[in-house]
Amino acid sequence: MKLTRLAAVLALAAAALAPATAAHADPAPSCTAQVFAFAPGFQAFVTVRNTTAAPLTNWHVTFQLAPVATIGSSFGGTITRSGSAGTITPAVYFTTIQPGGQAGLGFGGSAVPFTPPTAFTLNGVPCTVSGW
């Protein structure tokens, strides 16, 4: 019995003296935006991916849009605008994205002179943008 107690004490001592390891941080949620242009019109498709271990809540996507641009349709969320800044707030069925899940949203519109939307972000973090 004394040997078992000694082994336990040695194991605790070894654990206390072991070098600390850095905590592993979850990757941040990510987004991609694809913008397709057919002047004077455009379509923007945004995919938000939750690559973390926790549900993603209270999220939104922002973008820049020329003041002359109009938005004709949207899906997956509600768009609000203030000048050249636009915000997409997710629809009720996308308000929480579970770990490993994703949400698709977007909008269509036009601008004369032609100016497609730019600078997409997810909660302030830039999205990867492709298309045109």
Side-chain angles (χ1 to χ4, degrees):
M1 191 61 121
K2 289 183 182 182
L3 213 45
T4 306
R5 204 173 293 148
L6 178 60
V9 169
L10 290 174
L12 286 173
L17 295 174
T21 57
H24 173 53
D26 277 339
S30 66
C31 66
T32 56
Q34 294 179 301
V35 180
F36 298 98
F38 44 93
F42 56 81
Q43 289 285 322
F45 300 95
V46 180
T47 302
V48 176
R49 290 181 180 81
N50 184 2
T51 55
T52 71
L56 175 61
T57 59
N58 299 319
W59 62 273
H60 62 276
V61 172
T62 60
F63 58 93
Q64 293 295 305
L65 193 60
V68 297
T70 59
I71 296 174
S73 62
S74 66
F75 64 92
T78 302
I79 297 178
T80 55
R81 219 173 136 173
S82 177
S84 62
T87 301
I88 306 172
T89 304
V92 66
Y93 48 87
F94 283 145
T95 55
T96 299
I97 304 173
Q98 295 301 323
Q102 65 183 29
L105 43 111
F107 58 94
S110 63
V112 177
F114 180 66
T115 313
T118 61
F120 289 83
T121 67
L122 170 62
N123 293 345
V125 177
C127 299
T128 301
V129 180
S130 65
W132 305 107

